Amino acid sequence: MRIGVYFCLCGPNIAEKIDSEAVRQAVERLPGFGYYRTVEFLCSAVGTSAMEKDVRENRPDRVVVAACSVRDHEETFRGVLARAGMNPFLMQMVNVREHIAWVTADREKATEKAIRHLGAAMRRVALHEPLERREIDVCTDVLVVGAGPAGLKAALNFAEAGRKVCLVEKEPVLGGLPARYEAMFPDMECGPCVLETVLGDVLHGPHAERIEILTLSSVADVVGYYGNYTVTIRQSPRYISPDLCIACGECIPVCPAVSGNPFNYGINGRKAVDYAFQGGLPNLPFIDPESCLRTTGNEDCRLCREACPVEGAVVYEDSGKQVTRQVGAILVATGAGLYDCSRLPNLGYGRLPDVFTSLEFERILAANGPTGGAIRKTDGSPPKRIAILHCVGSLDPRHKEYCSGVCCETAFKFNRLVAHKLPGAEVTHFYKTFSVPGKRGYKLFGEAGARASTRFVRYDDIDRLEIRSDGSRGHHVVLTSPGGGSSVTESDMVVLCPALVPSEGTARMAQMLEAATDRFGFMEELHGRMDSVRSKVRGIYMAGTCQAPMDTQKAVEQALAASGAILAGLVPGRKLVIEPVTALVDAERCSACRSCIPVCPYKAISFDSEKDSAVVNSVLCVGCGTCVSTCPSGAIKGNHFTDEQVFAEIEGVLS
């Protein structure tokens, strides 16, 4: 075996610290040595051209490159070998710059260290195998789960790029939480108005034909891998034909069944057949099977069908449907919910009247809300004093340790809206700390602080706050100090601003996709700084509050980043390159213990019942080697990092 050694001087970086001639004299005595070349700048155009020519002429069996970091130039030199007609994986790099020259002051010691490292590389590379990259065809369609601002923007981005998109939304309408907001901080824009442009483009724009919208739907099953997923989607019945309904609303007044309106968090009622809310898109009513007299089995009511002027528009026989779609990537944008305030019983939520969460108060403030936008207590009278509690469940190791980052600005938005709707009302903010980031976040905070009717009270522990009812006279907010004293603030209405938490849909999707979640239950990103929109499973991406608490602006920015990453990876006409540095299971040695399956961080291993063996999906595997070290029977081999190669390298360093 002839091993060609290429030593890069890297200008003064390596040449001044390592004696390349002494290295040559040492390595030429090692088994397998073929020849030795010293190059000034091996990574330069001149250097790579010279190396390519030299490899083509000398035709070594293996190559060792002594230069800089593998991260910098391993692919560079693999490309050189490939162009020279040599398998690119028959090469081993030695990082003599960062690992030796830059960290070893003594030239003699640095030279000795370089000799040992090159000897280790020569032992290792002799055992390298000629691996081959594979290419597979991919589907460039995309599944987007969740039609809030992030999901809508991503779907539109894909459609504009010429891709087909399947947009799955569990609600009967699109828009997510911002569709419920009368105003959005910091500029007090109308939530539905902000969404109007993107909704219009998604539903009726020039690229709408590429977007398949499935409302009242959920993902039932996902099989496959990056580039080739098969997704099963279950769509619940609407009982109203979208093709025939003219949205006249004649079916609604005659319906006798009324239940709590989930869009307004049960504050008011909604007919069994109704719109999700006025102005919701798509503009179609639907029948709620949980409250309809027919579907609950109470009676054979047909009043809505009789009132409908279009024959066949009301479809009692609708049983929903199940569809299958082929996609190349999945973007999860399932949003967030609020921390359960009933877990803080001292605050009276769910027990005392006129104690609302921030989302419930959003609906009270909205013109299409339960009170038509008027701030009213349960008895119908306007409150004179309102208490707003920040950090409910946030910044608290007993509940949620993190800051949601949006609650303070929401509270200060409420302050302005209360001042506008109830000019004489007093507002008291109970807070732990303030979070108003960004170039415009301070505006609403400054306005609140400038109002004479606004008061700020700081507390250190949510358990020191207690909401007590004073019957018809309202509430007392009692704050107990660490020393035992207490202060009392009278209030007619209390608004709680809880922590943002992952939605139920986020947990369900993460489990189905086998994507990791963090300790708070949010979908875990590949890297918090450099790859916050990729999950640890290749092909699964995320955007918005399913990944972390954030405002609408950041959620949309994540959607654009995620869609950009997907568009760059799945290109029509381009095949997906599969790297060969992966794990490989020897089915004959596999004991079927399945120990490797739960430890794989990339969900690349499954069990084949027919073979009675674990199998590795090379598309998902990144060659981390976790399964190799876990396998008790040694049945798993790490390509390019076999036990023999690693031990040979260790022996070379120590010899």
Side-chain angles (χ1 to χ4, degrees):
M1 178 174 289
R2 293 177 65 251
I3 301 174
V5 179
Y6 293 86
F7 193 97
C8 177
L9 298 175
C10 197
N13 284 293
I14 297 173
E16 289 184 358
K17 294 295 184 68
I18 299 174
D19 185 345
S20 62
E21 180 59 24
V23 172
R24 183 191 65 78
Q25 294 173 6
V27 299
E28 68 182 4
R29 296 192 295 269
L30 296 176
F33 175 80
Y35 61 88
Y36 185 94
R37 300 284 186 269
T38 302
V39 184
E40 186 69 26
F41 290 102
L42 192 58
C43 66
S44 67
V46 174
T48 55
S49 296
M51 179 181 174
E52 179 183 339
K53 180 181 178 182
D54 198 68
V55 170
R56 187 179 288 109
E57 291 175 352
N58 285 279
R59 304 187 66 81
D61 298 306
R62 301 288 189 274
V63 166
V64 170
V65 175
C68 57
S69 167
V70 169
R71 283 183 175 270
D72 283 348
H73 286 298
E74 183 175 52
E75 281 304 312
T76 300
F77 300 125
R78 280 181 177 174
V80 170
L81 264 60
R83 292 192 297 274
M86 183 175 177
N87 188 286
F89 292 92
L90 299 179
M91 177 196 75
Q92 178 68 13
M93 277 192 72
V94 180
N95 186 354
V96 294
R97 188 178 70 179
E98 284 91 332
H99 288 178
I100 302 175
W102 284 0
V103 295
T104 310
D106 185 274
R107 180 177 171 86
E108 185 175 335
K109 290 181 178 180
T111 300
E112 174 60 26
K113 190 175 179 181
I115 292 170
R116 286 180 176 270
H117 280 230
L118 263 75
M122 290 177 67
R123 285 177 179 246
R124 185 193 205 281
V125 80
L127 300 174
H128 278 203
E129 299 170 338
L131 304 177
E132 298 290 340
R133 291 185 169 104
R134 294 189 298 115
E135 293 184 341
I136 61 172
D137 293 322
V138 297
C139 175
T140 59
D141 297 349
V142 183
L143 174 74
V144 177
V145 186
L152 289 169
K153 193 67 177 177
L156 187 59
N157 222 32
F158 293 128
E160 288 175 345
R163 310 299 175 81
K164 290 183 179 180
V165 188
C166 182
L167 179 60
V168 174
E169 170 57 48
K170 64 182 177 63
E171 298 292 339
V173 292
L174 311 178
L177 286 179
R180 291 170 159 87
Y181 300 163
E182 178 82 352
M184 297 175 65
F185 64 77
D187 297 326
M188 308 303 285
E189 298 168 279
C190 161
C193 302
V194 170
L195 294 170
E196 182 180 9
T197 301
V198 66
L199 277 170
D201 286 341
V202 166
L203 290 166
H204 311 295
H207 308 286
E209 62 182 14
R210 298 192 188 97
I211 304 174
E212 179 186 18
I213 299 172
L214 298 176
T215 56
L216 291 169
S217 300
S218 60
V219 177
D221 189 34
V222 177
V223 295
Y225 47 86
Y226 179 49
N228 292 278
Y229 287 108
T230 300
V231 182
T232 303
I233 302 162
R234 185 178 298 115
Q235 187 171 34
S236 300
R238 182 179 282 268
Y239 301 104
I240 302 292
S241 171
D243 298 321
L244 298 177
C245 179
I246 59 173
C248 65
E250 293 294 324
C251 56
I252 299 171
V254 300
C255 179
V258 179
S259 61
N261 185 352
F263 185 75
N264 290 328
Y265 303 99
I267 298 174
N268 68 338
R270 184 174 70 185
K271 296 292 187 74
V273 56
D274 207 337
Y275 298 100
F277 64 96
Q278 291 298 323
L281 295 174
N283 185 29
L284 288 171
F286 71 103
I287 294 178
D288 180 5
E290 294 185 3
S291 57
C292 176
L293 298 179
R294 289 183 57 84
T295 53
T296 55
N298 293 332
E299 58 183 88
D300 186 21
C301 177
R302 297 174 179 267
L303 294 176
C304 57
R305 176 179 282 181
E306 293 169 358
C308 179
V310 181
E311 185 177 353
V314 179
V315 189
Y316 294 141
E317 301 77 19
D318 189 358
S319 59
K321 62 181 179 180
Q322 187 165 291
V323 298
T324 301
R325 297 290 180 267
Q326 302 293 324
V327 298
I330 298 172
L331 175 60
V332 180
T334 44
L338 294 184
Y339 187 65
D340 183 3
C341 294
S342 64
R343 300 185 67 176
L344 296 102
N346 52 305
L347 302 184
Y349 179 73
R351 179 171 53 86
L352 300 179
D354 301 316
V355 178
F356 302 103
T357 67
S358 54
L359 283 179
E360 291 167 348
F361 197 56
E362 291 276 8
R363 296 309 303 147
I364 291 172
L365 292 167
N368 63 350
T371 62
I375 305 176
R376 294 287 184 268
K377 298 192 298 180
T378 306
D379 63 11
S381 63
K384 296 180 181 178
R385 297 155 302 193
I386 297 177
I388 301 178
L389 274 59
H390 299 231
C391 304
V392 176
S394 298
L395 300 174
D396 191 328
R398 297 161 300 181
H399 300 282
K400 298 297 177 183
E401 298 176 13
Y402 54 82
C403 171
S404 295
V406 297
C407 314
C408 284
E409 289 185 90
T410 298
F412 299 137
K413 174 186 74 175
F414 290 161
N415 202 106
R416 178 194 268 198
L417 292 171
V418 169
H420 173 70
K421 293 174 180 283
L422 298 173
E426 298 176 1
V427 178
T428 303
H429 291 263
F430 291 86
Y431 71 100
K432 279 185 179 179
T433 187
F434 289 140
S435 175
V436 284
K439 61 184 181 182
R440 295 183 296 175
Y442 188 83
K443 180 181 178 182
L444 292 172
F445 173 53
E447 288 182 5
R451 289 194 177 94
S453 58
T454 300
R455 199 162 64 98
F456 297 100
V457 178
R458 190 165 193 170
Y459 71 93
D460 63 343
D461 189 334
I462 197 74
D463 284 349
R464 298 189 190 279
L465 279 173
E466 184 180 1
I467 312 299
R468 299 175 184 172
S469 177
D470 194 18
S472 60
R473 298 193 325 194
H475 303 105
H476 293 323
V477 182
V478 181
L479 174 59
T480 305
S481 67
S486 63
S487 61
V488 178
T489 301
E490 294 184 356
S491 176
D492 303 315
M493 182 179 288
V494 178
V495 180
L496 309 177
C497 295
L500 287 182
V501 298
S503 67
E504 293 180 5
T506 297
R508 195 179 71 84
M509 284 303 303
Q511 183 177 20
M512 182 182 300
L513 298 170
E514 297 187 333
T517 55
D518 61 22
R519 61 195 179 100
F520 303 117
F522 293 101
M523 288 188 67
E524 190 169 21
E525 62 278 5
L526 184 60
H527 189 281
R529 294 292 177 267
M530 302 305 293
D531 260 317
S532 64
V533 298
R534 300 176 194 261
S535 78
K536 293 189 174 181
V537 178
R538 192 180 185 192
I540 307 299
Y541 298 78
M542 66 196 88
T545 50
C546 67
Q547 184 257 333
M550 64 186 73
D551 61 15
T552 302
Q553 178 185 358
K554 187 174 180 182
V556 170
E557 289 171 352
Q558 273 206 325
L560 294 174
S563 57
I566 293 171
L567 290 171
L570 299 175
V571 180
R574 182 195 298 172
K575 293 181 181 292
L576 187 66
V577 177
I578 309 302
E579 292 292 333
V581 183
T582 60
L584 185 66
V585 179
D586 183 345
E588 293 184 359
R589 296 182 63 182
C590 179
S591 63
C593 70
R594 311 188 191 199
S595 300
C596 55
I597 296 175
V599 302
C600 177
Y602 302 96
K603 306 302 177 185
I605 308 177
S606 59
F607 190 80
D608 189 327
S609 299
E610 293 183 2
K611 294 181 180 180
D612 196 33
S613 167
V615 292
V616 176
N617 186 325
S618 59
V619 178
L620 301 179
C621 180
V622 300
C624 69
T626 305
C627 59
V628 178
S629 60
T630 301
C631 181
S633 57
I636 307 180
K637 167 187 173 183
N639 283 338
H640 208 58
F641 290 92
T642 65
D643 291 348
E644 294 79 9
Q645 291 167 355
V646 173
F647 282 124
E649 191 170 11
I650 294 172
E651 290 170 0
V653 171
L654 299 178
S655 62

